[in-house]
Amino acid sequence: MSQTRKRLGDLLVEAGLINEDQLHAALEEKTKSQRLGDVLLRKGFITEQQLIEVLEFQLGIPHVSLFNYPFDPKLFALLSKETAKRNLLIPLKKDGERLYIAMADPMDFIAIDDLRLATGFQIETAIATKDDILRTISKYYDMDEGLVELLDDLSSSKNAVQEEQRGDQDSPVIRLVNQILSNAVTQKASDVHIDPQETKIVVRYRIDGVLRTEKVLPKSMQNVLTARIKIMAKLDITEHRVPQDGRIKVNLEFSPIDLRVSSLPTVFGEKIVLRILDLGSSLNDLNKLGFNNLNLQRFRTMLDQPNGIVLITGPTGSGKSSTLYAALNLLNSEEVNIITIEDPVEYQLEGINQIQVNANVGMTFAAGLRSILRQDPNIIMVGEIRDRETAEVSIRASLTGHLVLSTIHTNDSLGTITRLVDMGVEPFLVASSLSGVVAQRLVRRVCRDCGQKQEPSKREIEIFAKRGFKVDHVTKGRGCASCNMTGYKGRIALHEILVLTDDMRRVIMNGESFSKLREMAIKAKTVFLMDDGLLKVKQGLTTTEEVLRVAVLE
């Protein structure tokens, strides 16, 4: 009996994965050449795993998880790494005249025909996620092909550093560095740490805020590896005694990657950290940063002010820059003159004048700020307030009719006020200029593919009760292939937004106690970090453990 095939959008709505409004939004954005599934993925309405399960039902093609799949390494000789990456496919097994392959797009009949002609086998397809396929290609094509050969080459090459300086693209060390970087990008790492130890070098990736060892290299490779990265970042390879900073722009897998490089002399040689800058456009959208509705409305109200200073606070790596750039992106229009002074300029934004701090020639935050004020700005962004001079110039700029955005390192929103006063800024200046403070932290998001609802533990019920919440269930990831068995995939921000009221300004001017300020913040219905975190636990976005890792239970 012939069965009419349902459309993908209808299947996803029936499965309860998306609603009608999300489907219409995706169909409106979709161009003729795009597939609906890709648009839904990009907008974050569904995960790749959910899409695959529906496609499996729609197309009748099985889906396969490549995590711990028993591959036959001989089959990788049948197709090159370039073909596998370009068409997003990987050979699974051979059975007589049939070759089974996993593909991200099993409807790509051109790739299937090419493969049939190239190998002479009948091709049978299965569906796998794009990330899964890329991870597998990195693991099997790069790792096995590379390391043994590299070690042999390096041990036989006495002049490895000279060969490296010549920039021969087939040089073993160049291949090794490219491999480390492309694996980091595939695994969505934010940083790559190359740690020299007494007898080895450890390469670690920071994924979703947590460091994980990727590979261990022999000590003999240290000099050439360090030299290669320093040459790429245009650093001085003869200088090993002082820290150096640089930047690398490379093309990996046909996409541009921007890296910030820092080298630091340690007892066992130079430690190198590469920060991978995510140039994704979602970064510039305020609605995608995890603000709850009340906080988003309060933050937008602060940004709509014609003057005043808005501070974003949190430790290193808490996503302050992303929030600042998203705010600038919202404010960016041809009617306003926006000037930033940063150290370093992380993301280049069109239509915004960005200045790089250079202390060697006297271009400090404070000096740059004074020059900016002569450039008729409407909005000023200062990368970071580190000292009294920068704080005072920023505050005076906000009092003379400019909107100033900046970051400062404190533990919470209320601590920012005492920090500014401690820096030596007059309390009346703080009170009259400060519009509000955003405290921010990043927590890992529960993997959407393996998250399961559970009964909360006794301790969790106590924590929620202490903050005045009731909790029926919590969501935890059991671990699956798409989250590397961690139970978490991606990160989400927690926010605490303090909007200064007239009463608070009076308390600051009179130099009254910190506890009085806190009482007023509670009275003004401020959502503290802990509360925002627990609300996100209730929504099934993160876990109580993650919230307690970054926020203090009072």
Side-chain angles (χ1 to χ4, degrees), residues 442-481:
L442 290 178
V443 290
R444 290 185 290 172
R445 185 195 271 268
V446 172
C447 173
R448 285 164 67 181
D449 292 324
C450 65
Q452 292 178 323
K453 287 184 178 175
Q454 293 183 4
E455 289 285 314
S457 67
K458 194 177 168 199
R459 172 78 179 128
E460 281 175 320
I461 293 169
E462 281 172 15
I463 289 166
F464 275 85
K466 195 170 180 184
R467 304 298 298 182
F469 295 122
K470 271 185 76 176
V471 61
D472 304 320
H473 58 259
V474 293
T475 306
K476 295 198 176 165
R478 66 179 185 277
C480 66

Side-chain angles (χ1 to χ4, degrees), residues 219-362:
K219 187 75 173 170
S220 58
M221 299 175 80
Q222 182 173 325
N223 291 343
V224 284
L225 190 61
T226 307
R228 169 63 189 157
I229 293 169
K230 286 172 96 174
I231 286 168
M232 287 171 81
K234 298 184 172 58
L235 302 179
D236 181 357
I237 63 166
T238 61
E239 182 55 81
H240 310 287
R241 297 159 303 173
V242 293
Q244 295 185 68
D245 291 301
R247 201 165 189 151
I248 302 175
K249 283 193 175 175
V250 286
N251 273 320
L252 284 175
E253 319 307 346
F254 317 110
S255 60
I257 305 293
D258 206 354
L259 302 155
R260 249 170 56 197
V261 183
S262 167
S263 79
L264 184 74
T266 69
V267 179
F268 299 120
E270 285 176 283
K271 172 179 165 66
I272 291 184
V273 176
L274 302 115
R275 161 76 54 95
I276 300 169
L277 297 179
D278 173 16
L279 303 174
S281 56
S282 64
L283 178 103
N284 295 330
D285 188 348
L286 213 53
N287 299 314
K288 291 183 182 171
L289 294 178
F291 282 97
N292 65 43
N293 293 338
L294 176 65
N295 278 345
L296 184 61
Q297 181 201 328
R298 285 178 170 176
F299 190 40
R300 279 174 172 271
T301 307
M302 280 187 222
L303 297 176
D304 289 340
Q305 304 292 328
N307 57 11
I309 184 164
V310 176
L311 293 174
I312 299 177
T313 177
T316 310
S318 58
K320 298 189 297 294
S321 298
S322 301
T323 306
L324 264 184
Y325 282 114
L328 286 178
N329 213 40
L330 180 76
L331 296 165
N332 191 5
S333 71
E334 63 176 72
E335 290 93 47
V336 291
N337 177 18
I338 302 178
I339 305 180
T340 76
I341 178 157
E342 306 166 58
D343 181 22
V345 173
E346 286 191 20
Y347 303 98
Q348 277 138 22
L349 298 177
E350 202 174 329
I352 290 178
N353 309 288
Q354 293 170 279
I355 302 168
Q356 168 82 47
V357 165
N358 185 350
N360 296 335
V361 292

